Amino acid sequence: MNTNTYTQESVYLQQEIPPLAKIFGDHLKQLSNLPLMEVIGIRLVAARNNGDSFIILDETEVETVKNSTLCDGEAPLLVLDGNKLYLFREFRNELNLAQKIAERLNAPSPAHTFSDEQIMSAFKQTPNEDQFAAVKNSLSGNFSIITGGPGTGKTTIIAALVALEYKRNPNIIIEVAAPTGKAAELLTAGLTAACPEYPIRAKTLHSLFRAVPGTGKFNKNSASPLECDLLIVDECSMISLDVAAKMFNGLPPQTRVVLSGDHRQLEAIGSGAVLSSLLTFDSNGSKAAGKLRSAGVELSINYRSKLAPAIQDLAKAIREKIPDAELCSRICSTASANYTFKTISSNTEREILDAAFEHWHTLPAAASEMTPESVKKAFGLLKSFRIITAMRVGKDGCSSLNQKILSRLGMNGCYSPGSALLITRNCRRTGLANGDVGIVFADKEKGGVKVWFENLPQPLQIHELPEHESAFAMTVHKAQGSGFKKVCFPMPKAENPLLTRELFYTALTRAELHIVIFGSPDSVMAALT
């Protein structure tokens, strides 16, 4: 065994290790009777928690794995591919997903094509070059990707694509989906406004593929595939390798697929980074790599930039990866009508709570009755502002902050009229999905309270709700796929491992009109590097 490697691994083992990683490392060491397998197992779990499906081994580690017999058999615990080590499940998912996409890339293109004039006519307004290319690309292929930041027109493109597909074949079966209920709700609203003549309601992926609660399985699978000619999936940066593999496994081979999203946002909770990996795939100039690259179109023009130019300029700078020190200076010094950076101080929490009171102090009065006018007003107030955090728990997490906000607004807990609730688990019985947000209203007719959700026709009793939590403050992960007029983002300390470039970019781009960021040059630099 290489002495330097052993020393490095010993140091690694002295660091704080998550319990699951430690258990898995111990398990590999016991199975193989090889001490180095403990560290390899810990690294595998840590990589998966970080969104990676494999780890890279050095020569000593490769030989150790080969001598362990853990890669033997038809369904081994581990898979060694060159110097890449996978958990068997991760390798199988990655291989199956690659095969399904390759089949579509190599299949004959749709027979009926559209002229440039016909494509242009599907847009309500003249499209830019990228938008036109994205629609043309999706019409002519069996697998395509549309990527771009908020405000670049992804929903507009999907609407134009849907309209043209129905013209090509009025009997076509089109399904539109998103990973979360909130993302599906926003997509439905956008499509309804853009093409009301084609009423399509987006579903969550778990609903569309009939996920079996508590099992991780989909009822729509290779044995019973989804009846669908064209599947369009939005917010794909949130899709993990496991979900993507199950999604493609539940489609007939002839189903065409269009993926849409912003690959620079936070990756999915789970391994894979599917959207980003597909768009950055490189295989030494192979024919397959060329086909995959040509399947993606990136949108570069942001139509919201006139509303919040400072936000969009900073988002563009993050995407273009200008030098970190220069970008950090810009982030910390920029000030405009739509962007404010404040140094964290002892007054930060009070400022956040004061902002919450300023935007939401009339919510309890608006929710004191359940008339259509009061429901509309309450949701308008809620959408006008949101506080997003890096963490859910802890002193700086959204759970603690929500309790303080409720108190500041004079509410006696999360079931007081005016309180906002975030659903955290899909529920087929109620039609609610993870990410849906409701508001508690007083029920003057029958007494007590009920909870309204904009995507449901009737309010629900508290006891009917699936798992939920307060929604005035939410994590950046939970806010992904949503947009709010004004946003407040208190950054964690520089040493927080959750602080990444993707987290900062995602938080920044949740704001449509204005964002206040509380941080420090150290925390910003930690996020960028």
Side-chain angles (χ1 to χ4, degrees):
M1 181 179 291
N2 182 287
T3 304
N4 291 333
T5 301
Y6 182 78
T7 301
Q8 291 168 3
E9 304 298 11
S10 298
V11 172
Y12 192 93
L13 282 174
Q14 292 171 13
Q15 299 174 357
E16 185 176 348
I17 300 169
L20 182 60
K22 179 63 176 172
I23 290 170
F24 187 70
D26 286 341
H27 180 57
L28 294 192
K29 184 174 72 171
Q30 294 296 325
L31 288 176
S32 64
N33 200 29
L34 297 169
L36 186 55
M37 287 306 304
E38 179 182 7
V39 176
I40 291 173
I42 290 170
R43 286 179 56 204
L44 265 174
V45 174
R48 191 179 188 283
N49 291 343
N50 196 42
D52 298 319
S53 58
F54 62 86
I55 59 174
I56 301 292
L57 306 181
D58 62 25
E59 291 182 9
T60 301
E61 292 169 329
V62 168
E63 289 305 312
T64 300
V65 172
K66 286 181 178 179
N67 293 331
S68 71
T69 72
L70 295 174
C71 295
D72 298 344
E74 292 185 3
L77 184 59
L78 307 175
V79 174
L80 185 63
D81 181 20
N83 66 344
K84 297 177 181 177
L85 184 68
Y86 296 78
L87 293 169
F88 173 70
R89 177 178 174 180
E90 302 291 311
F91 181 80
R92 180 189 59 193
N93 283 340
E94 194 165 294
L95 183 63
N96 289 343
L97 180 60
Q99 289 174 340
K100 299 290 186 183
I101 292 175
E103 287 171 3
R104 285 168 172 81
L105 290 172
N106 293 322
S109 300
H112 178 75
T113 58
F114 290 90
S115 67
D116 289 357
E117 291 75 16
Q118 288 174 314
I119 295 175
M120 294 284 283
S121 68
F123 288 88
K124 304 299 182 184
Q125 296 180 336
T126 303
N128 63 52
E129 186 177 336
D130 293 339
Q131 292 175 324
F132 177 85
V135 173
K136 189 170 186 176
N137 194 51
S138 298
L139 287 168
S140 60
N142 299 292
F143 175 80
S144 57
I145 304 173
I146 303 164
T147 184
T152 52
K154 295 187 294 293
T155 303
T156 299
I157 289 168
I158 293 172
L161 178 61
V162 166
L164 289 165
E165 290 290 356
Y166 274 121
K167 287 181 180 178
R168 175 154 58 185
N169 176 13
N171 298 315
I172 189 173
I173 301 175
I174 300 175
E175 294 287 359
V176 181
T180 67
K182 174 54 66 177
E185 179 185 330
L186 291 171
L187 181 56
T188 298
L191 291 177
T192 300
C195 54
E197 64 272 31
Y198 301 108
I200 288 185
R201 184 168 189 82
K203 306 179 181 71
T204 64
L205 283 171
H206 283 73
S207 172
L208 181 62
F209 285 88
R210 294 177 58 192
V212 183
T215 67
K217 297 180 180 179
F218 286 176
N219 271 330
K220 288 300 175 182
N221 49 46
S222 57
S224 178
L226 181 72
E227 187 178 356
C228 178
D229 300 310
L230 173 64
L231 173 65
I232 304 171
V233 187
D234 196 21
E235 296 293 350
C236 287
S237 64
M238 291 191 265
I239 299 177
S240 67
L241 174 60
D242 182 59
V243 171
K246 289 173 182 173
M247 178 180 79
F248 274 87
N249 191 49
L251 293 173
Q254 68 275 15
T255 299
R256 294 163 52 220
V257 178
V258 177
L259 304 182
S260 172
D262 184 354
H263 68 287
R264 293 182 177 85
Q265 287 187 20
L266 277 171
E267 297 167 357
I269 297 178
S271 65
V274 175
L275 186 64
S276 178
S277 297
L278 289 171
L279 287 164
T280 58
F281 176 76
D282 186 13
S283 186
N284 299 321
S286 68
K287 187 177 180 180
K291 284 187 175 182
L292 185 56
R293 277 195 296 273
S294 63
V297 174
E298 182 164 5
L299 310 173
S300 57
I301 299 176
N302 192 310
Y303 290 93
R304 293 182 192 166
S305 58
K306 292 181 179 179
L307 298 176
I311 294 173
Q312 302 308 332
D313 287 348
L314 288 175
K316 182 180 179 183
I318 294 172
R319 293 195 299 270
E320 294 177 348
K321 295 189 176 180
I322 66 173
D324 293 338
E326 179 186 339
L327 182 54
C328 178
S329 178
R330 284 180 58 179
I331 289 170
C332 297
S333 61
T334 298
S336 73
N338 49 82
Y339 178 87
T340 305
F341 186 90
K342 294 187 176 185
T343 301
I344 287 183
S345 69
S346 57
N347 292 324
T348 294
E349 184 177 281
R350 179 182 57 78
E351 289 187 62
I352 293 172
L353 294 177
D354 285 349
F357 183 81
E358 177 188 347
H359 288 88
W360 292 324
H361 70 278
T362 58
L363 257 174
S368 63
E369 56 181 353
M370 287 195 300
T371 64
E373 294 75 21
S374 62
V375 170
K376 183 178 179 180
K377 180 180 180 181
F379 275 101
L381 287 168
L382 181 61
K383 292 175 183 177
S384 69
F385 180 63
R386 198 60 52 94
I387 300 164
I388 55 178
T389 66
M391 300 166 291
R392 182 175 180 274
V393 297
K395 178 179 177 294
D396 301 319
C398 62
S399 293
S400 172
L401 197 51
N402 271 314
Q403 294 303 313
K404 295 171 183 176
I405 292 170
L406 286 168
S407 177
R408 182 72 173 84
L409 295 175
M411 297 182 184
N412 297 317
C414 65
Y415 301 129
S416 297
S419 176
L421 299 178
L422 173 72
I423 299 301
T424 59
R425 182 176 59 82
N426 297 328
C427 179
R428 191 180 302 169
R429 173 181 53 81
T430 59
L432 292 171
N434 182 14
D436 284 342
V437 174
I439 297 177
V440 179
F441 284 82
D443 186 358
K444 287 187 174 180
E445 235 178 82
K446 298 183 180 178
V449 296
K450 287 184 177 179
V451 186
W452 268 102
F453 293 86
E454 288 186 299
N455 57 329
L456 295 184
Q458 296 294 330
L460 298 176
Q461 301 278 0
I462 297 295
H463 68 82
E464 296 179 290
L465 300 180
E467 294 170 17
H468 55 276
E469 59 190 36
S470 288
F472 290 118
M474 57 174 48
T475 64
V476 179
H477 267 103
K478 288 292 186 183
Q480 196 167 350
S482 299
F484 312 101
K485 291 181 180 179
K486 297 181 181 180
V487 167
C488 176
F489 174 45
M491 296 181 69
K493 294 179 180 178
E495 58 269 22
N496 193 303
L498 293 175
L499 194 52
T500 64
R501 194 182 195 96
E502 291 77 16
L503 181 121
F504 187 88
Y505 174 83
T506 305
L508 177 70
T509 54
R510 295 314 89 205
E512 297 173 359
L513 297 179
H514 188 265
I515 185 169
V516 177
I517 297 176
F518 290 93
S520 68
D522 287 344
S523 60
V524 173
M525 198 64 185
L528 298 178
T529 55

